Each structure stands twice: as C-alpha cells, then as structure tokens.
Amino acid sequence: MPDFLRCSISPARLILGQLLLAPLIVGYRLGLVSGTSVRRAIVRFGYTGTTVAALRAHGQEFARNFLPATVRPEMMHRISWHKAQGHKVVVVSGGLDTYLAPWCRQHGLELICSALQEHDGVLTGRYVGEQCVLKEKARRVRERYDLVNFSEIYAYGDTPEDKDLLSLATRRYYCGKEVGAVGGL
C-alpha cells in the first residue's frame, strides 16, 4: 500500500502528512503503535475529500503499470497452477480494492480486501468496516466460504499480519516457503 499512497496522494499532502504523522510512524517502527492505527491515520489524512473518480483512476493505473512488476513471478506461477487444478483462488489483502479489484478481474481471481468509505462521490477518509488485516482476514474468509467444503486449503503470506489467515489452511506458505504451524511467525 505505501507505493499506492505515493502514487495517489498529491505531493504537497504527502509531504505534509509525512511531517504530521512522523511521530506515529516512528512509534510504529519502535513497536509502540500498531500497523492498523498507522494505516487508519494515513488513510484519514491522505484521502479525506478525494473524489472517488480520482482514486479509481489512480487505482486502474496502479493495477496496470505497477502491480505486474511487483507480484513475484513464483506467485504468478502458483496462481496459474491453482487455476489449472480447478482451485478457487482468492486474494486476501489489507490493500485497497481500488487497485486490487482491476488486477484480480484481469486474472480471474476473487478478492477480499480493504475498501474506503465514500459519501456523494467523495472519500470520507475512513475504511468501510475493519481493515482487512490480522484476524479480520481470517474472519472474512470464514464469513464468505464454508471451509469444511474444501478438502485442502492453501494460504500464502508475507508478513506476521498473515498469521491468522495462514492458520485456516492445510497447506501454509510464508515468504515463499511451506511451513507447518504458524505460531512462530
């Protein structure tokens, strides 16, 4: 999401936000402030008053020009393999639907992610519901899918915030490597 923020927030607002939110970001880096709190503050400062149309345009451009270069080739290979096996493939992310939805549509993938609240075509600076991170990822997956209907569940994660999502799976991959229990992440 940091790359999308840099692409979708005006340079002046970005600089001002970096100054005003610096104590919060330092607190995050020191482990004193949660990532959820930092993201909430950044979204509030960065997007309040932004038009939905402007954000969608940035999201389309980001999905087209940035995401293809950032998704690791081995993950694209895994996605292709899962689709060839007839598996349901769902991207579960704390990132925003603004850029993830176009990319997922292009690749025929389902999506569970964070979204921003809007009113009359303008962003409020708040998330719709909870951010799709930590326990919320797993909760949303369970809410949408009856997991007992799947004989095998694969999950892939890259950060400790994926621990709860990985715990749902029978096959877990963390930072590209298959792992057993997720307690040590």
Side-chain angles (χ1 to χ4, degrees), residues 160 162-164 166-167 172 174 179-185:
D162 294 321
K163 181 179 173 181
D164 294 298
L166 291 169
S167 71
R172 303 167 185 95
Y174 184 71
V179 295
V182 295
L185 300 183

Side-chain angles (χ1 to χ4, degrees), residues 156-174:
Y156 300 84
D158 294 73
T159 72
E161 287 193 350
D162 294 321
K163 181 179 173 181
D164 294 298
L165 177 67
L166 291 169
S167 71
L168 299 176
T170 55
R171 303 279 304 267
R172 303 167 185 95
Y173 293 82
Y174 184 71

Side-chain angles (χ1 to χ4, degrees), residues 144-166:
R144 187 175 302 174
Y145 304 101
D146 187 357
L147 299 181
V148 298
N149 292 328
F150 298 91
S151 60
E152 200 160 38
I153 300 170
Y154 290 77
Y156 300 84
D158 294 73
T159 72
E161 287 193 350
D162 294 321
K163 181 179 173 181
D164 294 298
L165 177 67
L166 291 169

Side-chain angles (χ1 to χ4, degrees), residues 3-57:
D3 293 312
F4 182 67
L5 294 169
R6 284 188 280 279
C7 296
S8 60
I9 296 174
S10 74
R13 190 178 261 194
L14 204 54
I15 291 169
L16 184 58
Q18 288 172 337
L19 293 172
L20 294 175
L21 299 175
L24 199 60
I25 293 167
V26 169
Y28 168 73
R29 291 194 176 137
L30 293 173
L32 303 172
V33 177
S34 72
T36 304
S37 297
V38 171
R39 284 186 294 270
R40 185 176 22 251
I42 291 170
V43 161
R44 183 91 183 233
F45 185 84
Y47 293 122
T48 298
T50 301
T51 66
V52 172
L55 192 67
R56 281 191 187 136

